Amino acid sequence: MVLDDLGSSLRGTMDSLRGKSRIDEDDVQEVVKQIQRSLLSADVDVDLVMELSDSIKTRALEEEPPGGTTARDHVLKIVYEEMVDLIGESTEIPLEEQTIMLAGLQGSGKTTTAAKMAWWFSKKGLRPAVIQTDTFRPGAYDQAKQMSENAEVEFYGDPDNDDPVDIAREGLEATADADVRIVDTAGRHALEDDLIEEIEQIDDAVDPDRSLLVLDAAIGQGAKEQARQFEESIGIDGVVITKLDGTAKGGGALTAVNETGSSIAFLGAGETVQDIERFEPNGFISRLLG
Ligand code: GDP
């Protein structure tokens, strides 16, 4: 039942509508207010929240519940459909030969995600390889190598080479036998010109089938500018939200999804290679609505 997927606080509001045969403007307003409160505290962008509120209000007041549906279930269905519309379905990740590039700021969780995704693909019966091109962050090579070992997947990196484009090229050659090549790139503390330039060069050399933007769940409004820049420079096909094992609910990532016209591909919730799952809207909606 849809209701099970909605957050507990919203469920409370919905319960107060139980038994009503008609739902008036005040009732809808109350539901929408509750949704707004939850989404804003989950870091969802205020414009997105307003858009969603308007659609829910309009539909809840204008659409007649189909015969046999209670007014409450009708509103519930509208809320759910509009939330799915906002959040989107999971990014399509075909189980076939491909090259995936990861982009994002330093500390967002790219290296960890690269190993996690490789582990995920290996569990799906494919042969993945991680290619580490991050020559900027000290320790990135060792970390990626160690995590790839933990995931029991092939790894390519070159600690003696400081040219990421070169490493990317050689990495693709060295891992030619792999089905899925996951290319980890360097981040920076902020969006600096040299980061954009570097990732564009890697993008040209690698020509990935898909590029995923890795975002920390705690990202708030900063997501917008980041997403826009990465979208402009390399094109973003999907978003990975990391650190969902913390307190942040990851609503900021929706801004990135909106900005890039993409969707969410994976969720990361922990530091080990197994702590990854494919995104699915229901669980995420319930998390956002608290
Ligand atoms: P990068 O600079 O983007 O490559 O980021 P890293 O992969 O090195 O991650 C930065 C830090 O966040 C590391 O300490 C990771 O262990 C940690 N981290 C990454 N993903 C997660 C996650 O899903 N949950 C938690 N708790 N920590 C994570």
Side-chain angles (χ1 to χ4, degrees), residues 112 116 119 241 245 267-277:
T112 309
K116 284 177 176 179
W119 178 83
I241 313 178
D245 49 322
L267 304 178
E271 294 186 78
T272 70
V273 293
Q274 293 94 338
D275 296 324
I276 182 166
E277 55 187 69

Side-chain angles (χ1 to χ4, degrees), residues 105 107-112 116 137 143 243 245 268-271:
L105 293 192
S108 59
K110 286 180 305 303
T111 301
T112 309
K116 284 177 176 179
R137 179 165 64 86
Q143 182 196 351
K243 308 187 195 181
D245 49 322
E271 294 186 78

